[in-house]
Amino acid sequence: QDGPAAYQMFGSGGTHYESTFVSRIVDNSGNVVYQHNYRGDQVLDESSAYVMNRMLETVVSSSRGTGRNARLETVELIAKTGTTQDWCDLWFVGCTPEYVTGLWIGHDIPAEIDTKSCYSSSEMWKNIFGDIAEASDIKKFSSTSSVVKRDYCTVTGLIAGRNCESKAVGY
C-alpha cells in the first residue's frame, strides 16, 4: 500500500508514519510556511521491529549481502533487495534513520535485464541517494533494551558454548 515506506516501521521502533514528499517549506526569510505533521501509529512491537531491523542490516553489512554495494560510510542503512521471475525487475529499498527510499529497474513491457551490463540496484540506489543519506543528522538507528544480543551455534541452533566451531549473532 505504501511501497517502500512499509519498511520504515522497522527502523522507527515499530511506528508507521504517513508517507510524504514534502516535510517542510521555508520562505527566503527562513520562516516555515508549511510543516508536515508526523503523526505515527504503533503497528509493531518495538522489540520485533528492532530484530527485523538487525536482519535487514545484514543485507548491506554482510560480505555476501545482496545490497552490500549500497553500504554507506557514515550512516547506518538497512535494506531489502528483490527480483522478479526471469530477471525482468530489480528492486532496492533502503532505510536510514531519517529516510526510506525505493528504486525499481525494469521495462514497461517486461523483458530480461542484462545484469552484467548495468549497475546493480544497490549501486544505483547509492549513486542516486547516498550523498543525501550521508548528509543526515541522525547516523544510527535507536536500540532497545528489551532485546538481547547473543552468539549462537549455527550447527545446533543453541547459545554458543566454548566448543562451538561455527557461531553467528542472534537476537
Side-chain angles (χ1 to χ4, degrees), residues 90-126:
L90 304 176
W91 292 90
F92 186 90
V93 175
C95 180
T96 70
E98 291 193 274
Y99 300 105
V100 179
T101 55
L103 173 80
W104 167 76
I105 304 167
H107 302 279
D108 290 339
I109 300 170
E112 184 176 344
I113 298 166
D114 181 5
T115 56
K116 290 177 180 45
S117 69
C118 70
Y119 287 111
S120 68
S121 59
S122 57
E123 289 172 302
M124 278 195 198
W125 182 91
K126 185 173 182 176

Side-chain angles (χ1 to χ4, degrees), residues 51-66:
V51 171
M52 179 60 84
N53 177 303
R54 296 298 84 206
M55 288 191 289
L56 291 170
E57 189 265 338
T58 63
V59 170
V60 178
S61 67
S62 170
S63 62
R64 295 185 317 230
T66 54

Side-chain angles (χ1 to χ4, degrees), residues 67-147:
R68 66 187 174 278
N69 293 325
R71 190 175 302 139
L72 300 171
E73 295 296 320
T74 63
V75 175
E76 191 173 9
L77 173 66
I78 64 175
K80 177 69 179 96
T81 62
T83 61
T84 54
Q85 254 182 332
D86 301 322
W87 296 89
C88 291
D89 298 280
L90 304 176
W91 292 90
F92 186 90
V93 175
C95 180
T96 70
E98 291 193 274
Y99 300 105
V100 179
T101 55
L103 173 80
W104 167 76
I105 304 167
H107 302 279
D108 290 339
I109 300 170
E112 184 176 344
I113 298 166
D114 181 5
T115 56
K116 290 177 180 45
S117 69
C118 70
Y119 287 111
S120 68
S121 59
S122 57
E123 289 172 302
M124 278 195 198
W125 182 91
K126 185 173 182 176
N127 288 340
I128 294 167
F129 197 71
D131 289 343
I132 296 168
E134 299 241 73
S136 297
D137 292 332
I138 304 171
K139 303 296 184 185
K140 295 236 178 247
F141 290 104
S142 58
S143 60
T144 177
S145 60
S146 63
V147 176

Side-chain angles (χ1 to χ4, degrees), residues 2 5 8 15-21 34 36-41:
D2 241 352
Q8 54 97 356
T15 302
H16 181 268
Y17 296 93
E18 179 184 318
S19 299
T20 182
F21 289 102
Y34 169 79
H36 181 75
N37 180 15
Y38 287 101
R39 186 184 77 38
D41 297 312

